[in-house]
Amino acid sequence: MIEVTDSALQVAASEGMDEFIQVFTDKYKEVTGGELTAATMPLLTGEQHSLLAYQIFRDEIMVGGFCQLIQNGYGGYIFDNPFAKVMRLWGAEDFSKLIYKAKKIYDANRSDLEKERTDDEFMAMYEQYEVFDDLEEEYLDMEELVTASLASYVDEHLELFAKIIK
């Protein structure tokens, strides 16, 4: 089981909910060597993968939106796994619905969204896929609440996410 220190959680929690979640996800990235491959996937549990998926989603969307998330290779990790369902089960219903809406766009355009692109072609994606704009805005409006809600879920179920050492 992945271990995190109680003191690291205390410090992070005082800094904010996103920092609290990041204590876990940084450890997950350390254990997997920052690579999500067939060899590293079994190193994390389903709950740990779901939390890591949220961290990746949040980081990518906040910086470059869905186009960046997908171009950086995370489309399958987010949309081909039960991520949206887990978010609903963890209490983030509206966020779950947003993921399902984005998945429909992703599924319908997957080959184009995932193809290799030059920097200019990548930038042009933002015009081509303006359909993501409303979903990105919706997420930005709910991000703080979703992050706090998920941090609360993690705090109430610590044993699912890591072994806490004193």
Side-chain angles (χ1 to χ4, degrees), residues 84-150:
K85 179 180 180 182
V86 171
M87 294 299 102
R88 180 178 51 80
L89 294 172
W90 289 2
E93 291 90 1
D94 290 341
F95 177 58
S96 174
K97 290 175 188 172
L98 183 143
I99 297 299
Y100 281 122
K101 289 176 196 172
K103 178 179 173 32
K104 285 182 182 174
I105 299 165
Y106 173 75
D107 287 346
N109 301 283
R110 184 174 188 157
S111 61
D112 185 56
L113 283 163
E114 291 182 343
K115 78 179 182 187
E116 286 283 323
R117 296 177 187 271
T118 65
D119 288 345
D120 288 341
E121 290 170 334
F122 170 70
M123 294 310 289
M125 286 180 73
Y126 289 100
E127 287 183 33
Q128 185 180 355
Y129 289 100
E130 287 179 344
V131 65
F132 282 129
D133 290 356
D134 289 344
L135 295 178
E136 291 162 358
E137 282 298 318
E138 191 178 334
Y139 175 69
L140 293 175
D141 288 345
M142 70 170 72
E143 180 275 325
E144 207 171 300
L145 185 61
V146 172
T147 300
S149 172
L150 296 180

Side-chain angles (χ1 to χ4, degrees), residues 34-110:
E35 298 289 322
L36 296 170
T37 65
T40 63
M41 292 292 275
L43 300 175
L44 301 177
T45 66
E47 289 87 0
Q48 292 167 338
H49 273 294
S50 295
L51 190 61
L52 180 58
Y54 178 71
Q55 181 73 47
I56 289 168
F57 178 89
R58 181 185 173 279
D59 291 349
E60 295 289 327
I61 297 300
M62 298 294 272
V63 174
F66 284 99
C67 290
Q68 178 176 304
L69 173 86
I70 296 163
Q71 278 286 297
N72 283 344
Y74 297 116
Y77 191 58
I78 300 295
F79 300 119
D80 291 344
N81 288 304
F83 177 65
K85 179 180 180 182
V86 171
M87 294 299 102
R88 180 178 51 80
L89 294 172
W90 289 2
E93 291 90 1
D94 290 341
F95 177 58
S96 174
K97 290 175 188 172
L98 183 143
I99 297 299
Y100 281 122
K101 289 176 196 172
K103 178 179 173 32
K104 285 182 182 174
I105 299 165
Y106 173 75
D107 287 346
N109 301 283
R110 184 174 188 157

Side-chain angles (χ1 to χ4, degrees), residues 2 24-32 44 48 51 161:
I2 291 171
F24 294 94
T25 58
D26 282 351
K27 209 47 134 158
Y28 303 161
K29 290 175 186 174
E30 180 184 314
V31 167
T32 61
L44 301 177
Q48 292 167 338
L51 190 61
F161 299 95

